[in-house]
Amino acid sequence: MVDHLKRLTWDRLTGILQDNGAKSEDIDKVELIASRRTFLGQMTAVGALASMGLASEVALQGLFGRGLIPVAWAAEAEFMSTKTGMTIHNTRPVNGEFEPHLLDDDITPPERHFVRNNGLLPDRARSKDLQGWSLSIDGEVHNSLVLTMDDLKKFPAVTLPLLVECGGNGRANFDPKVRGNPWNRGAVACSEWTGVRLKDVLQQAGLKETAVYTGHYGEDPSLRSSVPPFSRGVPIDKAMEEHTLIAYQMGGSDIPALNGYPVRLVVPGWVGSCSQKWLNRIWIRNKEHDTKKMKGYSYRVPKYPVVPGIRPPKSDMKIAMAWQIKSMITRPTPDTHYKIGQTIDVAGHAWAGEDKVSQVLISTDYGVTWHKANLTQRPSQYAWYRWQTQVSFPKRGYYEIWARAFDDKGQAQPFRQPWNPKGYLGNVIHRIAVHVDA
Amino acid sequence: MWMPKFKILILLLIWLPLNAVAESAVSESVPELSGKVLFEANCGACHSLELPKSQRLDQGTWQWVIDDMVDEFGADWITEAQQKLILEYLVENYGQKP
């Protein structure tokens, strides 16, 4: 390997591309991208390629050997410009979130929906080409189905606001720090989804007695082609729940490329990885789905509370499923300055996985005293609730606004984040700072 | 189309001191590359380096991450000796402050 670490030139690059079987049209695409200023403002495409890890010939050879070409990364980054204001954790694969004050809308607009991708953007999502796309339903069913978009649209359409939240949302608040994208609070969205009920499709296929779990597959290539694609599933009851959708629109338009065009699952209230993007197959299983992403420490939490920093054995881990009680302050913007006595509108969202939110309490004195915020009913199950209140401060100083939500089972958000090895299901209370000037 | 090609060359040369470092290592035919070079050459092959660079992990967790990359995610070409150097580099530069 060492001898391949040589300086890269354009000719060497095209040479490597050719040696590794890149088609001439791919090479043309690389040229095209290199000749345009495409995305991210002033940064040239070439610069972006470089920053994305086009670091050395050795890395390149490895990549092209795996069937990856820079055009794939470049185009992916190009789509990030559709998410103005996103805090980007990672450009390849794309992972980014919005700060809570940018998520104030009751219905999250598509351009503010977080992006959590495990693999690469499929060609189809990039070109918006439906040709050749279909969704298969197979496994423990009486009639396997292969549905085109037209077939899918023959099932009754439903449009619902539904909450999707990455299982790692809140990971940045874990102490000791854990591995993974350091999501703060914004890997959550309540967008309006249009699609068909998964239940209706499964009923048409006819579930066998033996059907207990789903296994979801999508078109996104994994980061290394020898590694199996990202796949997870849910117990059949959740699949049959009437809010679980095979969605083909978000906010009344095609699903954005980065969020799963043309079709994805929406399994609301559960960890986001259940909601497979770029969906093309659902395998009905006669046992718990058993891919890598269902096993070990992936999307799993300890069966019992553990010492922070200590990883229990695999056999003591269980699958993370529904989210727990949670809330977020979306107004005001943190670190806003106010005058003494000025009325401050405070608002946000609360949600509770499979449960209902019963109340949201607010404190402006580090939890010494609390008052109840007004809670508005959600438009439908699995949408988030709106809460709002007003506060003002009689003296100058630094203040924090804390929000704490309760569910209908009496569970409230914790003051300190309980720890698990991969930082899943974080729901510690949200605190923001405000300043009152003399 | 020649201008952009030229730009690639220039940009890569400016942006990537790594290449120069690697090359000098090669020309001296010392097989040992530094942990930094190994990290940058290998750990950005599948995902951008932003991902590992955003982490602040203790030695045990970094070891766990590297084991997963090699055993589960397909970074199987990184030798054990190289893994060790990468681990030291990561613990030193992206470690967890006690």
Side-chain angles (χ1 to χ4, degrees):
Chain A
M1 282 248 147
V2 169
D3 3 305
H4 299 307
L5 283 165
K6 286 182 196 138
R7 193 165 286 153
L8 186 71
T9 62
W10 176 259
D11 289 337
R12 292 185 76 90
L13 175 60
T14 43
I16 296 164
L17 287 165
Q18 275 158 357
D19 290 350
N20 286 281
K23 287 177 251 142
S24 63
E25 67 206 58
D26 288 339
I27 295 173
D28 289 347
K29 275 193 262 178
V30 175
E31 281 204 45
L32 181 69
I33 283 184
S35 67
R36 284 187 301 184
R37 281 173 168 255
T38 40
F39 44 86
L40 307 181
Q42 336 79 336
M43 192 196 265
T44 62
V46 182
L49 280 181
S51 69
M52 285 190 282
L54 196 70
S56 65
E57 210 169 303
V58 67
L60 276 176
Q61 288 209 320
L63 283 169
F64 301 128
R66 276 161 232 140
L68 297 183
I69 54 157
V71 68
W73 323 330
E76 199 150 324
E78 202 167 352
F79 277 99
M80 291 194 317
S81 63
T82 60
K83 301 273 184 182
T84 312
M86 187 164 78
T87 304
I88 291 163
H89 293 301
N90 205 17
T91 43
R92 179 173 50 90
V94 185
N95 282 285
E97 65 178 301
F98 291 87
E99 290 174 72
H101 67 272
L102 299 175
L103 293 174
D104 185 54
D105 298 274
D106 286 328
I107 301 292
T108 312
E111 60 276 14
R112 293 270 169 91
H113 194 290
F114 70 98
V115 179
R116 194 287 179 251
N117 292 344
N118 301 79
L120 296 162
L121 199 62
D123 280 337
R124 184 190 313 288
R126 234 181 290 142
S127 58
K128 290 225 153 175
D129 178 10
L130 264 182
Q131 188 75 38
W133 178 85
S134 65
L135 170 63
S136 349
I137 313 286
D138 56 77
E140 305 299 310
V141 292
H142 294 294
N143 323 296
S144 294
L145 304 177
V146 179
L147 305 170
T148 63
M149 185 64 92
D150 287 342
D151 298 334
L152 196 61
K153 287 187 171 169
K154 286 182 192 135
F155 291 91
V158 275
T159 297
L160 289 168
L162 298 169
L163 194 124
V164 177
E165 180 169 18
C166 168
N169 194 29
R171 180 175 289 133
N173 304 307
F174 280 65
D175 180 22
K177 293 256 174 276
V178 290
R179 56 186 280 192
N181 282 301
W183 303 108
N184 184 17
R185 292 184 179 269
V188 58
C190 182
S191 292
E192 187 188 73
W193 295 96
T194 300
V196 304
R197 299 185 204 279
L198 176 55
K199 176 181 124 206
D200 291 345
V201 173
L202 294 184
Q203 270 166 357
Q204 170 135 344
L207 290 178
K208 291 186 178 167
E209 286 281 291
T210 46
V212 297
Y213 226 89
T214 58
H216 313 149
Y217 292 86
E219 292 188 293
D220 46 329
S222 55
L223 298 179
R224 186 173 187 197
S225 52
S226 61
V227 171
F230 184 95
S231 170
R232 300 199 69 247
V234 296
I236 212 75
D237 286 352
K238 182 63 178 171
M240 296 297 282
E241 206 285 330
E242 58 175 17
H243 297 82
T244 297
L245 301 189
I246 301 175
Y248 48 77
Q249 282 187 350
M250 181 205 258
S253 306
D254 286 346
I255 298 174
L258 290 174
N259 297 110
Y261 176 91
V263 165
R264 66 173 291 167
L265 281 172
V266 177
V267 182
W270 283 37
V271 294
S273 52
C274 300
S275 297
Q276 192 88 30
K277 295 182 283 294
W278 309 288
L279 183 74
N280 63 1
R281 179 186 178 208
I282 300 174
W283 178 19
I284 304 300
R285 309 288 318 260
N286 59 6
K287 59 177 183 182
E288 197 174 278
H289 195 44
D290 51 1
T291 52
K292 274 192 182 160
K293 295 291 177 182
M294 297 297 296
K295 296 278 183 193
Y297 296 96
S298 290
Y299 302 98
R300 281 176 178 250
V301 291
K303 291 175 180 163
Y304 49 85
V306 296
V307 180
I310 306 290
R311 177 157 55 115
K314 280 185 185 168
S315 53
D316 288 356
M317 305 293 288
K318 61 170 187 191
I319 300 176
M321 294 181 171
W323 269 95
Q324 325 162 63
I325 181 71
K326 203 161 168 177
S327 65
M328 169 160 88
I329 303 167
T330 56
R331 267 186 272 158
T333 303
D335 286 312
T336 304
H337 287 256
Y338 294 96
K339 296 192 186 74
I340 290 171
Q342 189 180 345
T343 301
I344 305 172
D345 283 313
V346 181
H349 308 294
W351 59 99
E354 292 291 330
D355 301 314
K356 297 189 176 89
V357 176
S358 61
Q359 62 172 354
V360 175
L361 300 185
I362 302 301
S363 177
T364 52
D365 53 12
Y366 294 84
V368 177
T369 60
W370 294 87
H371 79 263
K372 225 174 164 163
N374 295 320
L375 187 67
T376 313
Q377 271 313 311
R378 56 185 169 176
S380 59
Q381 203 187 341
Y382 301 109
W384 54 25
Y385 297 69
R386 156 75 62 191
W387 58 263
Q388 56 201 119
T389 189
Q390 293 182 332
V391 301
S392 67
F393 298 96
K395 276 198 287 187
R396 64 178 289 187
Y398 166 89
Y399 296 91
E400 289 188 9
I401 301 173
W402 292 13
R404 189 176 190 222
F406 293 68
D407 70 19
D408 57 341
K409 296 187 174 138
Q411 313 252 26
Q413 291 178 264
F415 293 104
R416 297 270 302 164
Q417 180 56 53
W419 194 88
N420 64 71
K422 283 213 168 177
Y424 295 125
L425 299 176
N427 71 334
V428 68
I429 58 161
H430 190 192
R431 309 150 44 197
I432 64 157
V434 293
H435 306 265
V436 176
D437 301 328
Chain B
M1 274 298 181
W2 274 99
M3 194 51 202
K5 292 176 191 175
F6 187 60
K7 264 201 264 176
I8 278 203
L9 180 57
I10 300 292
L11 268 159
L12 285 174
L13 294 182
I14 297 172
W15 282 52
L16 303 166
L18 160 65
N19 292 298
V21 181
E23 197 168 48
S24 65
V26 173
S27 59
E28 286 158 32
S29 73
V30 181
E32 226 169 273
L33 295 174
S34 72
K36 180 178 179 2
V37 171
L38 287 167
F39 167 68
E40 288 174 358
N42 289 293
C43 302
C46 300
H47 43 68
S48 33
L49 287 174
E50 296 156 304
L51 184 53
K53 284 183 173 177
S54 67
Q55 312 288 301
R56 295 293 176 273
L57 305 172
D58 61 21
Q59 173 154 355
T61 312
W62 270 126
Q63 179 74 64
W64 180 27
V65 170
I66 294 174
D67 288 348
D68 274 0
M69 297 306 133
V70 174
D71 302 336
E72 306 281 335
F73 295 155
D76 45 14
W77 66 85
I78 310 177
T79 67
E80 287 204 11
Q82 292 174 334
Q83 290 171 36
K84 208 169 150 263
L85 290 169
I86 295 173
L87 176 66
E88 282 166 16
Y89 173 75
L90 288 170
V91 173
E92 178 69 26
N93 293 278
Y94 301 98
Q96 194 153 121
K97 301 279 163 334

mmCIF file of all heavy atoms in Angstrom, chain B residues 17-43:
data_model
loop_
_atom_site.group_PDB
_atom_site.id
_atom_site.type_symbol
_atom_site.label_atom_id
_atom_site.label_comp_id
_atom_site.label_asym_id
_atom_site.label_seq_id
_atom_site.Cartn_x
_atom_site.Cartn_y
_atom_site.Cartn_z
ATOM 1 N N PRO B 17 -1.504 18.482 2.313
ATOM 2 C CA PRO B 17 -0.114 18.288 2.680
ATOM 3 C C PRO B 17 0.172 16.812 2.944
ATOM 4 O O PRO B 17 1.284 16.351 2.812
ATOM 5 C CB PRO B 17 0.039 19.110 3.959
ATOM 6 C CG PRO B 17 -1.339 19.331 4.460
ATOM 7 C CD PRO B 17 -2.235 19.303 3.275
ATOM 8 N N LEU B 18 -0.898 16.091 3.224
ATOM 9 C CA LEU B 18 -0.760 14.655 3.473
ATOM 10 C C LEU B 18 0.050 13.964 2.380
ATOM 11 O O LEU B 18 0.887 13.111 2.644
ATOM 12 C CB LEU B 18 -2.157 14.041 3.537
ATOM 13 C CG LEU B 18 -2.259 12.535 3.309
ATOM 14 C CD1 LEU B 18 -1.560 11.778 4.412
ATOM 15 C CD2 LEU B 18 -3.704 12.137 3.220
ATOM 16 N N ASN B 19 -0.233 14.336 1.139
ATOM 17 C CA ASN B 19 0.434 13.665 0.040
ATOM 18 C C ASN B 19 1.947 13.837 0.123
ATOM 19 O O ASN B 19 2.699 12.922 -0.130
ATOM 20 C CB ASN B 19 -0.082 14.194 -1.283
ATOM 21 C CG ASN B 19 -1.515 13.775 -1.485
ATOM 22 O OD1 ASN B 19 -1.793 12.598 -1.546
ATOM 23 N ND2 ASN B 19 -2.417 14.720 -1.505
ATOM 24 N N ALA B 20 2.315 15.062 0.467
ATOM 25 C CA ALA B 20 3.743 15.336 0.551
ATOM 26 C C ALA B 20 4.368 14.510 1.670
ATOM 27 O O ALA B 20 5.409 13.885 1.494
ATOM 28 C CB ALA B 20 3.951 16.818 0.805
ATOM 29 N N VAL B 21 3.705 14.488 2.791
ATOM 30 C CA VAL B 21 4.213 13.720 3.932
ATOM 31 C C VAL B 21 4.366 12.260 3.540
ATOM 32 O O VAL B 21 5.395 11.636 3.748
ATOM 33 C CB VAL B 21 3.243 13.808 5.133
ATOM 34 C CG1 VAL B 21 3.796 13.038 6.312
ATOM 35 C CG2 VAL B 21 2.995 15.255 5.499
ATOM 36 N N ALA B 22 3.314 11.755 2.923
ATOM 37 C CA ALA B 22 3.325 10.345 2.564
ATOM 38 C C ALA B 22 4.455 10.074 1.587
ATOM 39 O O ALA B 22 5.161 9.078 1.707
ATOM 40 C CB ALA B 22 2.000 9.968 1.937
ATOM 41 N N GLU B 23 4.630 11.007 0.652
ATOM 42 C CA GLU B 23 5.622 10.760 -0.360
ATOM 43 C C GLU B 23 7.023 10.740 0.241
ATOM 44 O O GLU B 23 7.841 9.896 -0.113
ATOM 45 C CB GLU B 23 5.537 11.832 -1.444
ATOM 46 C CG GLU B 23 6.247 11.404 -2.689
ATOM 47 C CD GLU B 23 5.898 12.337 -3.836
ATOM 48 O OE1 GLU B 23 5.956 13.559 -3.626
ATOM 49 O OE2 GLU B 23 5.559 11.837 -4.912
ATOM 50 N N SER B 24 7.283 11.665 1.171
ATOM 51 C CA SER B 24 8.613 11.668 1.748
ATOM 52 C C SER B 24 8.840 10.373 2.525
ATOM 53 O O SER B 24 9.913 9.798 2.495
ATOM 54 C CB SER B 24 8.835 12.895 2.629
ATOM 55 O OG SER B 24 7.974 12.822 3.735
ATOM 56 N N ALA B 25 7.781 9.909 3.162
ATOM 57 C CA ALA B 25 7.915 8.638 3.879
ATOM 58 C C ALA B 25 8.256 7.520 2.903
ATOM 59 O O ALA B 25 9.082 6.669 3.178
ATOM 60 C CB ALA B 25 6.627 8.310 4.619
ATOM 61 N N VAL B 26 7.606 7.574 1.746
ATOM 62 C CA VAL B 26 7.850 6.527 0.762
ATOM 63 C C VAL B 26 9.276 6.602 0.234
ATOM 64 O O VAL B 26 9.979 5.601 0.160
ATOM 65 C CB VAL B 26 6.853 6.650 -0.413
ATOM 66 C CG1 VAL B 26 7.217 5.666 -1.510
ATOM 67 C CG2 VAL B 26 5.441 6.404 0.074
ATOM 68 N N SER B 27 9.703 7.841 -0.083
ATOM 69 C CA SER B 27 11.000 7.949 -0.732
ATOM 70 C C SER B 27 12.124 7.505 0.201
ATOM 71 O O SER B 27 13.144 7.010 -0.232
ATOM 72 C CB SER B 27 11.229 9.370 -1.241
ATOM 73 O OG SER B 27 11.152 10.253 -0.149
ATOM 74 N N GLU B 28 11.930 7.697 1.483
ATOM 75 C CA GLU B 28 12.947 7.197 2.413
ATOM 76 C C GLU B 28 12.778 5.692 2.631
ATOM 77 O O GLU B 28 13.488 5.098 3.411
ATOM 78 C CB GLU B 28 12.831 7.916 3.761
ATOM 79 C CG GLU B 28 13.350 9.353 3.716
ATOM 80 C CD GLU B 28 12.760 10.195 4.848
ATOM 81 O OE1 GLU B 28 12.495 9.616 5.917
ATOM 82 O OE2 GLU B 28 12.563 11.403 4.642
ATOM 83 N N SER B 29 11.832 5.141 1.950
ATOM 84 C CA SER B 29 11.453 3.735 2.065
ATOM 85 C C SER B 29 11.367 3.246 3.511
ATOM 86 O O SER B 29 11.763 2.153 3.847
ATOM 87 C CB SER B 29 12.357 2.822 1.216
ATOM 88 O OG SER B 29 13.628 2.713 1.820
ATOM 89 N N VAL B 30 10.871 4.144 4.358
ATOM 90 C CA VAL B 30 10.561 3.736 5.732
ATOM 91 C C VAL B 30 9.105 3.258 5.698
ATOM 92 O O VAL B 30 8.225 4.027 5.356
ATOM 93 C CB VAL B 30 10.677 4.938 6.703
ATOM 94 C CG1 VAL B 30 10.393 4.505 8.124
ATOM 95 C CG2 VAL B 30 12.041 5.576 6.582
ATOM 96 N N PRO B 31 8.856 2.003 6.001
ATOM 97 C CA PRO B 31 7.491 1.510 5.870
ATOM 98 C C PRO B 31 6.560 2.109 6.920
ATOM 99 O O PRO B 31 5.350 1.998 6.816
ATOM 100 C CB PRO B 31 7.636 0.006 6.073
ATOM 101 C CG PRO B 31 8.931 -0.184 6.797
ATOM 102 C CD PRO B 31 9.798 0.982 6.483
ATOM 103 N N GLU B 32 7.111 2.754 7.935
ATOM 104 C CA GLU B 32 6.275 3.231 9.023
ATOM 105 C C GLU B 32 5.735 4.631 8.751
ATOM 106 O O GLU B 32 6.494 5.589 8.653
ATOM 107 C CB GLU B 32 7.114 3.283 10.294
ATOM 108 C CG GLU B 32 6.409 2.695 11.491
ATOM 109 C CD GLU B 32 7.387 2.542 12.634
ATOM 110 O OE1 GLU B 32 8.059 1.498 12.702
ATOM 111 O OE2 GLU B 32 7.489 3.497 13.416
ATOM 112 N N LEU B 33 4.448 4.740 8.578
ATOM 113 C CA LEU B 33 3.838 6.044 8.431
ATOM 114 C C LEU B 33 3.313 6.456 9.795
ATOM 115 O O LEU B 33 3.009 5.614 10.633
ATOM 116 C CB LEU B 33 2.689 5.964 7.427
ATOM 117 C CG LEU B 33 3.102 5.623 5.995
ATOM 118 C CD1 LEU B 33 1.876 5.420 5.136
ATOM 119 C CD2 LEU B 33 3.991 6.711 5.423
ATOM 120 N N SER B 34 3.181 7.770 10.001
ATOM 121 C CA SER B 34 2.719 8.218 11.317
ATOM 122 C C SER B 34 1.238 7.888 11.490
ATOM 123 O O SER B 34 0.501 7.673 10.513
ATOM 124 C CB SER B 34 2.927 9.718 11.435
ATOM 125 O OG SER B 34 2.001 10.379 10.612
ATOM 126 N N GLY B 35 0.802 7.884 12.727
ATOM 127 C CA GLY B 35 -0.603 7.629 13.021
ATOM 128 C C GLY B 35 -1.496 8.623 12.297
ATOM 129 O O GLY B 35 -2.557 8.258 11.782
ATOM 130 N N LYS B 36 -1.055 9.873 12.219
ATOM 131 C CA LYS B 36 -1.850 10.910 11.556
ATOM 132 C C LYS B 36 -2.050 10.575 10.075
ATOM 133 O O LYS B 36 -3.166 10.624 9.565
ATOM 134 C CB LYS B 36 -1.144 12.257 11.710
ATOM 135 C CG LYS B 36 -1.863 13.429 11.079
ATOM 136 C CD LYS B 36 -1.039 14.684 11.366
ATOM 137 C CE LYS B 36 -1.521 15.992 10.819
ATOM 138 N NZ LYS B 36 -2.693 16.158 10.090
ATOM 139 N N VAL B 37 -0.948 10.219 9.402
ATOM 140 C CA VAL B 37 -1.045 9.903 7.975
ATOM 141 C C VAL B 37 -1.922 8.678 7.760
ATOM 142 O O VAL B 37 -2.796 8.663 6.885
ATOM 143 C CB VAL B 37 0.356 9.690 7.365
ATOM 144 C CG1 VAL B 37 0.240 9.143 5.948
ATOM 145 C CG2 VAL B 37 1.127 10.993 7.390
ATOM 146 N N LEU B 38 -1.719 7.676 8.605
ATOM 147 C CA LEU B 38 -2.514 6.456 8.463
ATOM 148 C C LEU B 38 -3.992 6.737 8.699
ATOM 149 O O LEU B 38 -4.864 6.234 7.999
ATOM 150 C CB LEU B 38 -2.024 5.394 9.450
ATOM 151 C CG LEU B 38 -0.689 4.758 9.078
ATOM 152 C CD1 LEU B 38 -0.133 3.970 10.257
ATOM 153 C CD2 LEU B 38 -0.839 3.865 7.856
ATOM 154 N N PHE B 39 -4.240 7.554 9.713
ATOM 155 C CA PHE B 39 -5.628 7.933 10.012
ATOM 156 C C PHE B 39 -6.253 8.632 8.803
ATOM 157 O O PHE B 39 -7.313 8.247 8.319
ATOM 158 C CB PHE B 39 -5.652 8.836 11.247
ATOM 159 C CG PHE B 39 -6.964 9.543 11.468
ATOM 160 C CD1 PHE B 39 -8.097 8.815 11.824
ATOM 161 C CD2 PHE B 39 -7.067 10.918 11.318
ATOM 162 C CE1 PHE B 39 -9.317 9.459 12.024
ATOM 163 C CE2 PHE B 39 -8.282 11.565 11.512
ATOM 164 C CZ PHE B 39 -9.406 10.841 11.864
ATOM 165 N N GLU B 40 -5.543 9.634 8.280
ATOM 166 C CA GLU B 40 -6.141 10.421 7.200
ATOM 167 C C GLU B 40 -6.269 9.612 5.908
ATOM 168 O O GLU B 40 -7.208 9.806 5.143
ATOM 169 C CB GLU B 40 -5.353 11.713 6.984
ATOM 170 C CG GLU B 40 -5.611 12.674 8.131
ATOM 171 C CD GLU B 40 -4.774 13.934 8.106
ATOM 172 O OE1 GLU B 40 -3.931 14.063 7.197
ATOM 173 O OE2 GLU B 40 -4.951 14.776 9.004
ATOM 174 N N ALA B 41 -5.343 8.719 5.681
ATOM 175 C CA ALA B 41 -5.406 7.950 4.435
ATOM 176 C C ALA B 41 -6.458 6.844 4.501
ATOM 177 O O ALA B 41 -7.059 6.500 3.493
ATOM 178 C CB ALA B 41 -4.046 7.342 4.125
ATOM 179 N N ASN B 42 -6.682 6.303 5.669
ATOM 180 C CA ASN B 42 -7.582 5.146 5.775
ATOM 181 C C ASN B 42 -8.979 5.483 6.281
ATOM 182 O O ASN B 42 -9.961 4.921 5.811
ATOM 183 C CB ASN B 42 -6.980 4.094 6.710
ATOM 184 C CG ASN B 42 -5.781 3.419 6.085
ATOM 185 O OD1 ASN B 42 -5.915 2.702 5.113
ATOM 186 N ND2 ASN B 42 -4.600 3.694 6.612
ATOM 187 N N CYS B 43 -9.051 6.359 7.256
ATOM 188 C CA CYS B 43 -10.325 6.551 7.949
ATOM 189 C C CYS B 43 -11.260 7.487 7.184
ATOM 190 O O CYS B 43 -12.390 7.699 7.613
ATOM 191 C CB CYS B 43 -10.090 7.039 9.370
ATOM 192 S SG CYS B 43 -9.064 5.886 10.305
#
